[in-house]
Structures are given as C-alpha cells and as structure tokens.
Amino acid sequence: MAARSTATSLLSRRLGAAAVRTSAAALFDASFDSLKLSFLPEAVIFPRNKADIGVVLLLANEHNIPVTVRGRGTSLTGSAAPRRGGWVIDLLQFDRIKIDVTAGMAEVEAGAKVADIQNAAEKVGWFYPPDPSSKEYCTIGGNVACNSGGMHGGKYGVTRDFVMALKGFMPNGDWVEWGTPTRKYAAGFNLRDLWIGSEGMLGIVTDAVLRLIPQPAARWTLLLSFSTEAAAFRAVAKLFRLRVRPAICEFLDRYSVQCAEAATGETVFPGQPGRPVILLELAGSPAEIRAERLILLKWARENALAFRAAKTREDAERLWAVRRKCSGAMFELGDSKLNEDIVVPLRSYGKFVRFIDGLRRSSQLSIPCFGHLGDGNIHVNIMYRGADPEQRRAAEAAVEELMAAVVKLGGAISGEHGIGLAKSPFLRLQHSPAQVNAMMAVKSALDPKGILNPGKMFEVFPVWEHKRLSIALPWDHK
Ligand SMILES: Cc1cc2nc3c(=O)[nH]c(=O)nc-3n(C[C@H](O)[C@H](O)[C@H](O)COP(=O)(O)OP(=O)(O)OC[C@H]3O[C@@H](n4cnc5c(N)ncnc54)[C@H](O)[C@@H]3O)c2cc1C
C-alpha cells in the first residue's frame, strides 16, 4: 500500500493535484456501480487531456497499480467497481459529439451520453438505434465496453453493429486506432471488435466513430394481450415467419403487467386484468408502415385476445405506459431485485416459459419477466426481501438454476449487461475450459501485468457474501 501511495504522489506531481483526487468523497463515489458493491480506490483521476491517460497507464505498469475505467457507473454487474483498488480513471469530461451529416456517422468521445448522441443525430435526420434503458445516464464508452443493447436490438442490432472505429490506449499505455471511418474494413486482425464487450479489461476507449441510419419517417404502435405467455411467444414466432421485423417487440408477462396495473390503477385491457402483453412498434417510410400494418392487423386478429393500435403519437405514449411503469412497480413484490438479462433462442421460448413457471413454484419467489422478444433477450426479475435470509438463499439458488437452464436451452447468461463480478460464477457454465483459456490468453497477451480492471470475469466472485450499499441512485427503478 505504501508503494501505491508513492505512485499516487508521483502521478499527482505529473498531472497536477486537481487531476488526481483522493478525498474520501471522491474515492467513495468511484468505488461502486449499480451493483452497489463498494471497493475503495487509492485515487480517482480526471485526465486533463487524452495524453494523460497514457501517462497514467505507463506509471500503473511501472508500479503495478490496478486501473479501472469509469463511465457513468450504471453497470449492473460490478464491472466498473475497482475491485482491487488502485486508480479509477473518470472519462465523463470527454463528451464531444460531432455528426457527419453526409457520411451518416457520429464522431464521439467516450464520455458522451448515449441519449445526447441519439438527440444530436435525430436533429439532422439520422438515427442511432442502440438504446439501453439507462441511455439518459450511461456513456458510449460504457456501451462499447459492455456491447450494450436495447429495445431496438431485434431489428437493428446492438452497439457492436454500429461501431466503425475506436481510438484509445492499450493497457501498456500505447495509443492505438482500430478501424477507420469507413463502412468497410478488412485490414488485419479486428481488434476493434475485440475491444467491444471487453468490459474495460483490454483497452481504454477514448473516441468512437458510430454508423447512423436514416431517421425512420414514421412509426406505428400496437399493444396486444394474450391468454398465456406461451400463446404470446407462439404468436411472435408466427409473426417472424411472416418476415415482419418490428423495430420494437417488447414482451411483458402477466406478473409484470399486474405490477404496472397496480402502479397506474388502470387495467391495460379493460375487463381483462393481468394478461401478458406484447408491445410492437413498426418504423420506416410511410409506405413500408402501410404495408406491414396490414399484415400485423391480420396477424393480431388471428392470434391475440385483444389489441389496440395507436392513432396518434399521444396514443402511442399511452400504450407505452405499461412498459415504462412495470420495472419500478416490481419493488412492491420485494425490496431487492436481481435483473438477469438472459437470452434464449426463439426455438426454446416454449421450454423457457415452462422453466420459469417451475422456478416460481420451487423458489416461492415472485419472478416477473419482460424484455426484448425480437432478440430473445428477456429480463428475469427475481424479487426478494433483502433482510430475509431464507428469501436471499432462495434468490441465490434461483439465479443458479436460471443460468444452468439458459445454457441448456442454447442461450446466453447475458445479452447486454456483461459478466463483471455478478456473473463471474457462471462464466464456466457458458464456456468450456478451452474457451475460457483462449479468453485468458488474449487478456494476458494484451495486458501481461493484469493492470486493467483486474479481478473481474475470470475470477469467481462470491457476490452473495458481500453486503450491498443501501443508497439510492438517480437511475434506480428505471
Ligand atoms: C436502470 C438501468 C437500466 C439499464 N438498461 C440497460 C439496457 O437496456 N441495456 C443494456 O445493455 N444495459 C443496460 N443497463 C446497464 C448499463 O447501463 C450499461 O452496461 C452501460 O453500458 C454502462 O455504461 P456506463 O457509462 O455507466 O459505464 P460504467 O458502468 O461506468 O462501466 C461499465 C464497464 O465499462 C467499462 N468502461 C466504461 N467506459 C469505458 C471506456 N471508455 N473504455 C473502456 N472501458 C470502459 C468499465 O470499466 C466497466 O467495465 C442498465 C443499467 C441500469 C442501472
């Protein structure tokens, strides 16, 4: 520890005391993310310019200091928490956004907020589709590091599908540029894509060039209810067979709908409380919407119990209320929530519904599910009372069972949140020893001293043995 504080003093002399903060408040603020497990760093660094990041990494390698990069700290897995202490680099001040209207690209700095990028693009007729629910807070650097996704994923894809080029620093402090601001790129190993989803463990992103698509001229929203979750899933499979790809295809099971209905005091479909629903949104040119709307209406009549289409944007907003309300409203079912962002392949949807029903029975917990049916990324919300040891044990066991089942069904233990600390116990369920060894070999080739974000992903972290902070964050209940 003495060696670390000597290195911190050295860094402070190089960058200036204003760039290297060590106050108790600064250290605490940088010690956790949305998983709310706290690990205090020795210093939080606010680089004056990008070259400072290289200086930090050079010194960190020289003195064996762990370095964790931080965007906004909305990660739900603990990936942004400095598990081994050391230095946290805060990149929020690098937030420039420049839209190239001709090429349809956004040149952005890592600390730019995702909603700001979307808004800047929209103002000039372009669209950046990846839209995590946290987009009003999270940064594009964090989105690249976690390969984040959102409701538009089923039709348009996730962050990876929109990154053309990245700039930043290798763990040893070398400046690198991966990819070019061009739509095609086949010049050597693709380390750009290796950085995407690497959770701040293989490099530090300072800049990104993002592909944009034309802003859809029109949107059309349809809300449908079904008798059962299985019926809803079967209907969606039929829709995909009709070759219709809605821009958004959100599913809420009956428990999620019941939560939203309790919160608003209104039934989504009068006379049919607590039915599973699907919320669809078409996006495209008016002609495309007209053609797809006809197909959708016929499909809705044949498959849904009831449905309602939006005639105006205000109508659409009203249809969206059930989706917007459900997540926060779940806290009526328990003060603690494990939001597991698993993915199941379309062919396994039916088996998944049966599994979740069984899990509810065996765990005796409330487990409302909702999510992006367009890409199979379903959020399984295990609700429990944090102070009740029996419920805590049941929740822990339910997560274990869920992860094993998802892998057995051919799915993924995470679709967008990543591994970090929270999912580290399950990495080896998803990956064979050969696969894990290959990933670890990449890590040690690029970061031989293990400087960047150590103690994550590959080391099994016993999340349940650690007490979470009981503090409210601005994005809680979103
Ligand atoms: C209410 C809520 C809703 C959410 N909804 C979604 C959702 O719909 N979809 C989704 O995908 N996620 C969602 N998330 C998770 C989270 O918002 C994303 O993972 C997001 O990408 C994190 O961004 P951040 O700026 O907060 O990064 P942080 O949390 O600060 O960091 C996350 C990881 O990225 C690394 N990192 C950050 N910046 C950089 C950089 N410049 N270079 C290299 N590594 C970096 C960190 O080291 C860390 O490993 C949600 C979270 C909350 C709290």
Side-chain angles (χ1 to χ4, degrees):
M1 286 305 153
R4 283 193 186 182
S5 77
T6 310
T8 303
S9 306
L10 197 58
L11 185 68
S12 190
R13 283 201 293 281
R14 292 261 176 95
L15 306 189
V20 182
R21 299 190 197 160
T22 53
S23 69
L27 300 186
F28 178 70
D29 287 350
S31 72
F32 61 91
D33 57 21
S34 297
L35 187 64
K36 298 187 182 174
L37 292 179
S38 173
F39 305 87
L40 286 175
E42 269 83 27
V44 190
I45 296 149
F46 295 82
R48 297 162 304 173
N49 50 49
K50 290 173 193 162
D52 277 357
I53 301 170
V55 174
V56 174
L57 288 169
L58 271 177
L59 265 184
N61 275 276
E62 225 170 274
H63 296 270
N64 282 312
I65 314 278
V67 172
T68 306
V69 200
R70 185 175 181 86
R72 192 71 169 88
T74 64
S75 168
L76 290 159
T77 66
S79 62
R83 180 177 175 197
R84 299 259 187 269
W87 296 338
V88 168
I89 303 183
D90 187 307
L91 293 180
L92 280 184
Q93 72 272 34
F94 300 110
D95 61 355
R96 195 181 54 92
I97 299 170
K98 190 171 147 224
I99 306 292
D100 181 332
V101 181
T102 312
M105 300 183 322
E107 292 168 38
V108 300
E109 289 183 322
K113 215 163 58 175
V114 175
D116 290 346
I117 298 172
Q118 281 195 331
N119 294 338
E122 193 177 335
K123 271 193 199 136
V124 287
W126 289 97
F127 181 40
Y128 177 67
D131 55 348
S133 317
S134 50
K135 68 180 181 180
E136 297 291 343
Y137 303 95
C138 64
T139 66
I140 191 65
N143 276 207
V144 170
C146 299
N147 191 22
S148 302
M151 291 195 206
H152 282 95
K155 178 162 179 172
Y156 300 112
V158 294
T159 304
R160 179 184 301 285
D161 301 300
F162 291 87
V163 175
M164 297 164 83
L166 295 174
K167 292 180 189 172
F169 290 91
M170 296 301 286
N172 66 0
D174 284 347
W175 170 257
V176 287
E177 301 188 11
W178 302 124
T180 47
T182 54
R183 295 200 175 227
K184 284 188 161 182
Y185 178 74
F189 284 0
N190 186 343
L191 270 77
R192 172 196 67 192
D193 278 12
L194 192 59
W195 268 14
I196 301 169
S198 66
E199 302 188 19
M201 295 173 71
L202 298 181
I204 298 182
V205 176
T206 58
D207 300 81
V209 181
L210 307 171
R211 183 171 70 85
L212 304 175
I213 61 172
Q215 182 70 31
R219 283 183 179 267
W220 183 72
T221 312
L222 183 68
L223 182 71
L224 312 98
S225 78
F226 296 86
S227 52
T228 61
E229 285 72 20
F233 282 19
R234 275 196 303 274
V236 165
K238 280 190 198 164
L239 181 64
F240 293 164
R241 276 201 290 277
L242 294 170
R243 312 284 187 271
V244 176
R245 279 274 156 191
I248 294 175
C249 179
E250 289 292 291
F251 159 77
L252 284 82
D253 71 0
R254 72 188 73 179
Y255 307 100
S256 304
V257 172
Q258 282 162 10
C259 288
E261 289 181 336
T264 57
E266 285 175 26
T267 31
V268 178
F269 284 93
Q272 297 179 9
R275 297 279 190 188
V277 302
I278 289 180
L279 185 69
L280 295 178
E281 196 158 288
L282 296 176
S285 69
E288 279 166 339
I289 301 272
R290 270 196 300 278
E292 288 192 334
R293 194 167 57 189
L294 290 178
I295 302 173
L296 269 187
L297 286 171
K298 180 169 182 298
W299 164 82
R301 278 191 289 271
E302 288 168 2
N303 293 282
L305 213 53
F307 63 92
R308 211 160 57 228
K311 294 200 175 61
T312 60
R313 246 3 259 172
E314 293 71 48
D315 259 5
E317 273 306 304
R318 276 192 286 279
L319 297 188
W320 269 96
V322 60
R323 174 65 178 85
R324 294 200 212 291
K325 289 280 172 204
C326 77
S327 189
M330 284 171 193
F331 286 93
E332 290 300 315
L333 302 173
D335 58 16
S336 304
K337 168 157 79 168
L338 298 170
N339 169 355
E340 304 298 338
D341 67 316
I342 56 89
V343 195
V344 279
L346 186 54
R347 62 170 184 271
S348 305
Y349 280 9
K351 284 185 188 152
F352 180 71
V353 169
R354 287 195 290 282
F355 164 75
I356 289 289
D357 279 341
L359 192 62
R360 284 191 189 103
R361 281 193 298 276
S362 63
S363 67
Q364 295 286 300
L365 294 173
S366 297
I367 310 183
C369 301
F370 66 88
H372 324 312
L373 269 201
D375 53 19
N377 187 193
I378 297 166
H379 292 258
V380 177
N381 300 280
I382 300 170
M383 306 303 303
Y384 63 102
R385 284 191 304 280
D388 179 337
E390 212 167 289
Q391 286 218 342
R392 272 173 63 93
R393 268 194 301 277
E396 184 183 357
V399 175
E400 280 170 17
E401 250 188 83
L402 172 67
M403 295 303 153
V406 160
V407 172
K408 211 163 145 205
L409 292 174
I413 60 173
S414 172
E416 47 188 30
H417 297 165
I419 302 297
L421 297 172
K423 292 251 167 80
S424 61
F426 311 113
L427 186 78
R428 285 161 180 83
L429 277 181
Q430 185 85 70
H431 293 287
S432 68
Q435 290 164 211
V436 175
N437 287 342
M439 286 194 273
M440 289 173 72
V442 171
K443 170 70 177 165
S444 58
L446 299 187
D447 184 11
K449 291 199 159 182
I451 294 297
L452 271 187
N453 213 356
K456 306 284 170 66
M457 200 178 298
F458 304 117
E459 275 178 50
V460 175
F461 181 81
V463 191
W464 291 90
E465 289 170 17
H466 293 256
K467 197 165 158 33
R468 298 193 191 196
L469 297 170
S470 52
I471 49 166
L473 298 173
W475 44 84
D476 280 349
H477 303 301
K478 290 268 174 201

